């Protein structure tokens, strides 16, 4: 099962008990399904949960049954609604005149209540939406073949505080999100809190990993600097040794030089603690800089 399938399965657990919300959800289904016109509707889905929900939803919303329902276990389940009296019952619920050409616009008056608006988007997502596994990337989209519906959908989302993007793919108009916070909030709003929780959980895990990787990179960069500095110091000490200058150095400088050569892997702090007696990091750093300066002279 994919993350999108699980999310749709969670949405389908919501019982369509209130007629107005059932109608709003069915409205979203019709405007975002495969084919919808005054002559009928064709809904195709690969979600077994959604396929089981559709007959119950349309019965609760309009008291109608589909003219065709899936008969086998095909991967794509097809539902048809074509009888004129059934179509009249459906379209009149949304303020359309079945005798005229069906205008593909969203009737905002049907979605005045917050619960109905969320139900509408739930239907739109079930019929024409998908969401990727957040562990891979963040992307949620709603696709419709109706241009005006797509534009009006973006306006509705804007009223709810969302900032979606729009594009086209073949003959479809897409409204989509690529921000994890927006995807999580949208899923929770339409009735999938568990899917939303997973998005937030993955986002938190990724944030932790980013912090870890940043620390690792920072530590690696610091280690490179330590190694480079140690190599420079040891090279300076070797030059002093070749010149016969080590024996003439003050005891503290000579002891520091011997300690650095013996422990090239230690940081300044570790080297300072290893000194006998231990010294401060600042003191040891001063001695090493003095050795490098003498070798350059």
């Amino acid at each position: 099962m994919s993350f999108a399938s699980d999310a749709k399965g969670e949405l389908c657990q919501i019982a369509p008990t209130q007629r107005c919300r059932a109608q709003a959800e069915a409205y979203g289904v019709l405007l975002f399904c495969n084919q919808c016109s005054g002559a009928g509707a064709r809904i195709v889905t690969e979600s077994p949960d959604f396929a089981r929900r559709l007959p119950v939803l349309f019965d609760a919303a309009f008291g109608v049954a589909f003219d065709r329902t899936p008969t086998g276990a095909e991967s794509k389940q097809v539902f048809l609604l074509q009888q004129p009296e059934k179509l009249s019952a459906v379209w009149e619920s949304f303020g359309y005149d079945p005798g005229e050409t069906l205008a593909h616009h969203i009737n905002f008056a049907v979605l005045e209540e917050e619960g109905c608006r969320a139900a509408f988007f739930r239907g739109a997502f079930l019929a024409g939406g998908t969401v990727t596994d957040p562990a891979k990337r963040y992307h949620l989209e709603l696709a419709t073949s109706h241009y005006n519906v797509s534009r009006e959908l973006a306006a509705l989302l804007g009223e709810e505080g969302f900032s979606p993007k729009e594009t086209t793919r073949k003959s479809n108009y897409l409204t989509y999100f690529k921000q994890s916070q927006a995807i999580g909030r949208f899923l929770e709003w339409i009735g999938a809190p568990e899917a939303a929780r997973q998005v937030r959980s993955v986002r938190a895990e990724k944030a932790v990993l980013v912090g870890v990787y940043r620390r690792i990179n920072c530590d690696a960069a610091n280690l490179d600097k330590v190694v480079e500095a140690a190599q420079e110091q040891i090279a300076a000490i070797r030059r002093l040794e070749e010149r016969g200058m080590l024996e003439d150095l003050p005891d503290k400088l000579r002891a520091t030089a011997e300690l650095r050569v013996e422990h090239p892997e230690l940081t300044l702090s570790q080297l300072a603690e290893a000194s006998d007696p231990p010294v401060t990091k600042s003191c040891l750093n001063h001695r090493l800089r003095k050795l490098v300066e003498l070798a350059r002279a």
Side-chain angles (χ1 to χ4, degrees):
M1 294 288 285
S2 67
F3 179 75
S5 297
D6 290 341
K8 290 186 177 183
E10 184 180 2
L11 292 173
C12 289
Q13 294 176 17
I14 301 172
T17 52
Q18 293 181 258
R19 185 177 180 83
C20 64
R21 295 187 181 185
Q23 288 181 344
E25 183 178 330
Y27 195 22
V29 170
L30 290 167
L31 292 180
F32 284 79
C33 68
N34 297 75
Q35 189 176 357
C36 177
S37 68
R42 182 173 184 265
I43 305 169
V44 181
T45 180
E46 294 183 2
S47 168
D49 296 300
F50 185 38
R52 286 189 293 270
R53 181 178 184 80
L54 276 170
V56 178
L57 177 66
F58 273 66
D59 180 58
F62 316 111
V64 301
F66 285 98
D67 298 319
R68 174 188 165 181
T69 55
T71 56
E74 304 94 341
S75 59
K76 290 187 177 181
Q77 309 285 298
V78 180
F79 295 80
L80 295 179
L81 194 62
Q82 296 173 316
Q83 291 183 20
E85 64 275 13
K86 294 180 181 179
L87 292 172
S88 294
V90 171
W91 296 125
E92 286 175 358
S93 300
F94 306 126
Y96 296 123
D97 183 349
E100 297 180 358
T101 302
L102 184 63
H104 292 297
H105 287 273
I106 297 176
N107 185 346
F108 284 60
V110 179
L111 309 176
E112 289 182 350
E113 293 188 15
E114 179 63 24
C116 291
R117 187 167 292 193
F120 172 79
F121 278 95
R122 179 164 59 247
F125 179 76
L126 286 170
T130 188
V131 59
T132 58
D133 184 342
K136 298 177 181 177
R137 65 189 181 105
Y138 300 122
H139 184 87
L140 183 149
E141 68 180 37
L142 301 168
T144 177
S145 58
H146 313 303
Y147 172 75
N148 291 322
V149 170
S150 177
R151 297 302 301 273
E152 292 157 0
L153 183 85
L156 278 173
L157 286 168
E159 291 180 7
E160 297 297 330
F162 294 97
S163 300
K165 295 184 179 181
E166 299 174 74
T167 188
T168 58
R169 183 188 299 138
K170 296 181 180 179
S171 59
N172 286 324
Y173 301 94
L174 272 59
T175 305
Y176 66 96
F177 303 106
K178 284 189 174 295
Q179 302 83 22
S180 60
Q181 289 180 316
I183 292 171
R185 189 159 73 87
F186 179 83
L187 289 171
E188 186 160 19
W189 180 47
I190 65 175
E194 176 57 26
R197 186 198 65 77
Q198 290 184 48
V199 172
R200 289 192 291 268
S201 177
V202 169
R203 179 175 178 270
E205 289 174 4
K206 287 183 177 179
V208 171
L209 287 175
V210 167
V212 171
Y213 291 145
R214 185 179 291 118
R215 178 63 183 270
I216 290 173
N217 290 336
C218 181
D219 289 347
N222 290 336
L223 182 60
D224 288 342
K225 291 179 181 179
V226 169
V227 171
E228 185 177 339
Q231 289 176 340
E232 181 184 11
Q233 293 156 5
I234 292 172
I237 293 168
R238 295 299 186 199
R239 287 196 296 274
L240 292 174
E241 186 178 25
E242 290 172 359
R243 298 173 190 171
M245 298 174 61
L246 274 183
E247 296 300 324
D248 298 329
L249 292 177
D251 292 343
K252 292 181 180 179
L253 278 182
R254 188 170 64 256
T256 297
E258 293 172 352
L259 191 64
R260 169 45 88 196
V261 172
E262 291 175 5
H263 302 285
E265 77 287 355
L266 297 184
T267 65
L268 285 179
S269 297
Q270 293 169 332
L271 208 62
E273 292 177 2
S275 298
D276 187 19
V279 297
T280 65
K281 177 181 175 181
S282 176
C283 175
L284 185 75
N285 189 39
H286 175 74
R287 292 179 185 177
L288 289 169
R289 282 205 308 268
K290 183 65 176 178
L291 289 170
V292 171
E293 290 171 3
L294 289 172
R296 288 173 179 172

